[in-house]
Amino acid sequence: MEPLYQYAWLIPVLPLIGAALVGSGLISYNQATNRLRQGNAVVIISLLGAAMVMSLSLLWSQLQGHAPVTQTLEWAAAGDFHLSMGVIIDPLTSVMLVIVTTVALLVMIYTDGYMAHDPGYVRFYAYLSLFSSSMLGLVISPNLVQIYIFWELVGMCSYLLIGFWYDRQAAADACQKAFITNRVGDFGLLLGILALYWATGSFEFAEIGENLETLIDTGALSSGMGVLFAVLVFLGPVAKSAQFPLHVWLPDAMEGPTPISALIHAATMVAAGVFLIARMFPVFEAVPAVLDIIAWTGAFTAFLGASIAITQNDIKKGLAYSTISQLGYMVMAMGVGAYSAGLFHLMTHAYFKAMLFLGSGSVIHGMEGVVGHNPDLAQDMRLMGGLRKYMPFTASTFLVGTLAICGIPPFAGFWSKDEILGAAFSANPALWVIGWLTAGITAFYMFRMYFSTFEGEFRGNDEEIRKQLSPEAHDDHGHDHSHSPHESPWTMTLPLVVLAIPSALIGLVGMPFANRFERFIHAPGEVVPTLAEMAEEFELSEFVVMAGSSVGIALLGITLASLMYLRQNIDPGAIAKTLQPLYQFSLNKWYFDELYDKVFVKGSRRLARQVMEVDYRIVDGAVNLTGLATLLSGEGLKYFETGRAQFYALTIFAAVLATVIFFGAT
């Protein structure tokens, strides 16, 4: 076996070594380790860089036609039970490895500038490295058990990173919310894994799919049970990829530092759910009803996220709901059988959304010089405007990302989103309508974000707006604060410029008349036409109609946003007053938080109080009654223990006499 594949297990181990070294230093020599701030960062970035080089080499090898490689070793065995751990390198793995390592590396470089003055700088790098290791381990896992182990490690790292500023109540609440919500989905995933093993006797993806299909076809397992098992597994991706109804944790997760938003909540962790659906695709194909559930869940989530994003004033919250919406597109693609289209959008979205999040962090970094370290003000788009002349690199790259996510050709998002919409139209026109409308809403809220942030006049020094948004922060303006924002340092702008390249160009590998991405990554067992056959089968008229409709509604959304937020020919406030119920419905996020708080949080507290009453009155009462009965019986019987044989004989005689009388009477 080639050394490149033989040592592929080092890819997740290298960042783990970095996290272990820095973590050990923080535990054993805290002050000395914290003084070597950039030295620790260099070590961690170098180790991840080595993992990235190995990942790129594996991708190149796979592109050259190298056969997939699986290496396993027996980890546990008992009778007929055998559990293996190992590494799988195939086209899907190689692409995911490159996505994770490249985005993680750029985020780590960006972090040096963003967290430069944070006292937790070194600890943050240790967490980032541990997360990267966990995500890479998940990607190379060859079976469900190993995936579940790394799945939970990723969840743990997200808890640590979202709650990094744990002294802030909002961050502490957000990491708990993310952790608990993901545990709901992960419990379903665990039940699904165990149920599938019970039914099929395997943890291997392809084997589970084949055995499950055979069991259903022969009637050994009812189709309803097969659907239930598959839906339980799907609950894991629902939580991890923030799909309805477990989507509520992702917007709150923006309380963590912005590099986390780019790494975890745009490019890697949330993509793990879509990745697992891809790995489990042979299983879901065996129960087609589950694919319908997946498709409609994704479609509804896409519309839900977009409909909430249009009213958000916090730049990071707007991008968070945008992420939920785009993840919905990917899940919908998987549900309609467009395997390669969903993964293609995963790849393009990873790059342009990571850039957008890092761009928002650059904006926040620049705004903090004006408004201070007040997240409510630094992230509020109502205090921005005109930042393009102060932050040209950030503005230019943010515009590239905005065009990409809006699906404007030739940017990356156009090719991947259009492929999903085409597949949805072929499967069910109703799904296409939802996706098409969502594309228009996406273009509107993204250009609303861009115009409000980078165009027009700067509003950060408007005392009236500042006082209205945060009265308590009004009086500190002018104390050590600048009157204009500033561009971020090169460590922050360089990753933005680098990410702008794939955001603009990487979609070209998936053009419908020469879809190299689909040739490389496709569903197991699917026969894919050659590039020459694709060119022959390509129908220009159909492409023009489908692509034209999606671009047309995107341009309509952009035009509406420009009239409202650039030229100001239309007053958004007047529209909000006219459509007040709908505006409030969107602004309050469809009231999901309030509903969940009332039903689950307060409901569970009421249930806990009732259980406590049962415990106090019945369980404790029974225990106390037993003790009382023992005490009273002991107190009563002690008077019969006299030590006199005559008394004992009399007692026995009385007992025998009573027994004779009783039985004689009956």
Side-chain angles (χ1 to χ4, degrees), residues 236-309:
V238 166
K240 199 71 79 182
S241 289
Q243 298 296 287
F244 169 82
L246 300 179
H247 65 283
V248 292
W249 67 270
L250 183 59
D252 289 48
M254 297 302 110
E255 293 295 338
T258 299
I260 297 311
S261 303
L263 181 60
I264 293 184
H265 307 123
T268 54
M269 174 181 163
V270 292
V274 181
F275 170 77
L276 181 57
I277 296 174
R279 277 285 185 234
M280 293 294 290
F281 201 74
V283 179
F284 295 137
E285 275 190 317
V287 276
V290 177
L291 290 177
D292 291 335
I293 294 172
I294 293 172
W296 283 103
T297 299
F300 181 77
T301 304
F303 179 77
L304 170 69
S307 67
I308 297 174

Side-chain angles (χ1 to χ4, degrees), residues 121-378:
Y121 176 97
V122 178
R123 176 168 59 94
F124 190 72
Y125 266 103
Y127 287 169
L128 282 178
S129 192
L130 181 60
F131 170 80
S132 301
S133 173
S134 302
M135 187 64 199
L136 291 168
L138 188 154
V139 167
I140 65 172
S141 297
N143 58 56
L144 272 175
V145 173
Q146 189 172 330
I147 273 191
Y148 189 77
I149 293 170
F150 285 105
W151 188 273
E152 293 304 310
L153 284 172
V154 167
M156 181 200 72
C157 293
S158 72
Y159 174 81
L160 295 173
L161 289 164
I162 294 167
F164 181 78
W165 289 320
Y166 54 83
D167 52 343
R168 285 169 43 188
Q169 187 61 43
D173 291 342
C175 70
Q176 291 183 52
K177 185 176 182 180
F179 192 80
I180 292 169
T181 306
N182 275 276
R183 295 294 71 73
V184 174
D186 294 356
F187 181 62
L189 173 60
L190 178 60
L191 290 178
I193 291 172
L194 295 176
L196 287 173
Y197 179 77
W198 168 79
T200 65
S202 177
F203 292 116
E204 309 298 323
F205 307 110
E207 193 173 337
I208 293 173
E210 293 172 2
N211 293 351
L212 187 64
E213 188 173 8
T214 301
L215 288 169
I216 294 174
D217 289 343
T218 58
L221 184 71
S222 67
S223 58
M225 292 295 288
V227 169
L228 175 62
F229 296 167
V231 167
L232 285 172
V233 171
F234 177 56
L235 281 178
V238 166
K240 199 71 79 182
S241 289
Q243 298 296 287
F244 169 82
L246 300 179
H247 65 283
V248 292
W249 67 270
L250 183 59
D252 289 48
M254 297 302 110
E255 293 295 338
T258 299
I260 297 311
S261 303
L263 181 60
I264 293 184
H265 307 123
T268 54
M269 174 181 163
V270 292
V274 181
F275 170 77
L276 181 57
I277 296 174
R279 277 285 185 234
M280 293 294 290
F281 201 74
V283 179
F284 295 137
E285 275 190 317
V287 276
V290 177
L291 290 177
D292 291 335
I293 294 172
I294 293 172
W296 283 103
T297 299
F300 181 77
T301 304
F303 179 77
L304 170 69
S307 67
I308 297 174
I310 58 176
T311 57
Q312 299 304 305
N313 295 309
D314 184 310
I315 189 170
K316 285 179 67 178
K317 290 285 181 70
L319 289 173
Y321 281 106
S322 170
T323 298
I324 292 173
S325 181
Q326 296 304 307
L327 288 166
Y329 272 111
M330 300 173 208
V331 172
M332 180 176 71
M334 290 294 177
V336 299
Y339 179 94
S340 61
L343 292 173
F344 187 32
H345 197 54
L346 185 155
M347 179 180 70
T348 60
H349 176 264
Y351 288 112
F352 64 66
K353 185 54 67 69
M355 182 179 65
L356 287 169
F357 267 118
L358 294 182
S360 72
S362 180
V363 168
I364 294 166
H365 185 268
M367 287 293 295
E368 284 178 345
V370 180
V371 301
H373 295 281
N374 184 333
D376 293 334
L377 295 180

